Amino acid sequence: MTVVDDSIPVITVDGPTASGKGTVAHRVADELGFHYLDSGALYRLTALASARHGIDPDDVSALAVLAETLDVRFRDQRIWLAGEDVTDAIRAEAIGNRASSIAVHKAVRQALRALQRGFKTAPGLVADGRDMGTVIFPEADLKVFLTATPQARAERRYKQLIEKGFSANIDSLMLDLEARDARDRTRAEAPLRPAEGARVLDTSGLNVDQAVAQVLEWFAQVQYPQGA
Ligand code: C5P
């Protein structure tokens, strides 16, 4: 039985690729002085480690063992895998696509569950991903689901990749993004969908400040309901 500590507040921010959830969730965590969990990074780390070990994306038991024993450290905004700084390496599109392929496996998702729950420590947590509100933190105080048009998301991803020194092409990014979304939405295990009671925010026409302000306003509303 899972013992749920309800005294530690949790905000979940789920949504499709490049909907802005990472940037928004990170900023909200900073504003509130909360911890931040980038759950996609764990799937990307498993993907990178599996590629390096030559593990097939369908070898479920080898992948689950790898996920369960990931030697990962998050420090100073950098991500370390077995002592190597892989912060930029895990952002490559090929690793994102491989992450999406291995994320369909129930055993892999279960192997990463405890690691994710471990991020729930005082004074609070903002967690972003695909199933933060539906599966990993169903008790969250506030659940947000971010969306944006495929065009807006492809443009964002293009900018992110170019800034990190990767080459990119908008049209092929859009195709990749739609294929990845389709896989994330239609998989049997923890499909991408808004959690019950989630507040949906379309970020297509919003800048980061506006999206962050909206999430903080919603959080203030749940913390201090009118009339309470
Ligand atoms: O968010 P990001 O693009 O880094 O995630 C990479 C992939 O990992 C996603 O396409 C998705 O398939 C998977 N993922 C997941 N559940 C999460 C976070 C990411 O299945 N909570």
Side-chain angles (χ1 to χ4, degrees), residues 150-159 162 167-177:
Q151 183 65 32
R153 294 191 288 123
E155 280 166 16
R156 276 182 202 154
R157 180 46 52 88
Y158 179 81
K159 270 176 68 183
I162 297 295
S167 61
N169 169 289
I170 287 257
D171 293 334
S172 71
L173 273 179
M174 186 113 120
L175 290 175
D176 267 7
L177 202 124

Side-chain angles (χ1 to χ4, degrees), residues 4 26 36 39 42 47 61 74 97 114-115 122-123 128 136 157 165 196 216:
V4 175
H26 202 192
Y36 166 60
S39 64
L42 301 178
S61 44
F74 290 84
N97 286 328
L115 186 55
D128 90 52
I136 304 295
R157 180 46 52 88
E196 211 182 307
L216 289 172

Side-chain angles (χ1 to χ4, degrees), residues 219-228:
F219 186 56
Q221 285 168 9
V222 272
Q223 272 199 312
Y224 311 107
Q226 269 183 352

Side-chain angles (χ1 to χ4, degrees), residues 14-18 21 38-44 90-91 95-104 109 116 128-132 136 157 180-181 183-184 187 189-190:
D14 288 306
T17 299
K21 58 190 182 337
D38 169 4
S39 64
L42 301 178
Y43 289 90
R44 287 171 179 267
I90 61 166
R91 297 297 152 198
I95 296 299
N97 286 328
R98 190 176 177 96
S100 160
S101 300
I102 66 171
V104 302
R109 308 197 69 82
Q116 295 174 81
D128 90 52
R130 304 291 187 291
D131 63 340
M132 296 296 95
I136 304 295
R157 180 46 52 88
R180 178 130 50 110
D181 285 353
R183 189 157 52 217
D184 289 350
R187 68 186 176 206
E189 286 303 318

Side-chain angles (χ1 to χ4, degrees), residues 50-91:
S50 71
R52 289 187 173 172
H53 286 89
I55 296 173
D56 191 276
D58 284 322
D59 186 347
V60 183
S61 44
L63 289 170
V65 170
L66 197 64
E68 189 121 38
T69 54
L70 271 187
D71 176 8
V72 54
R73 216 153 37 97
F74 290 84
R75 216 185 53 201
D76 302 333
Q77 319 254 22
R78 311 293 299 173
I79 304 175
W80 306 79
L81 179 66
E84 180 193 344
D85 184 344
V86 294
T87 318
D88 296 326
I90 61 166
R91 297 297 152 198

Side-chain angles (χ1 to χ4, degrees), residues 13-16 19-21 24 144-148 199-201 203 215:
V13 182
D14 288 306
S19 54
K21 58 190 182 337
V24 171
V144 177
F145 192 85
L146 295 189
T147 60
R199 317 263 189 138
V200 179
L201 183 61
T203 63
V215 175

Side-chain angles (χ1 to χ4, degrees), residues 23-36:
T23 313
V24 171
H26 202 192
R27 277 272 308 277
V28 169
D30 276 352
E31 296 280 340
L32 295 170
F34 283 8
H35 299 285
Y36 166 60

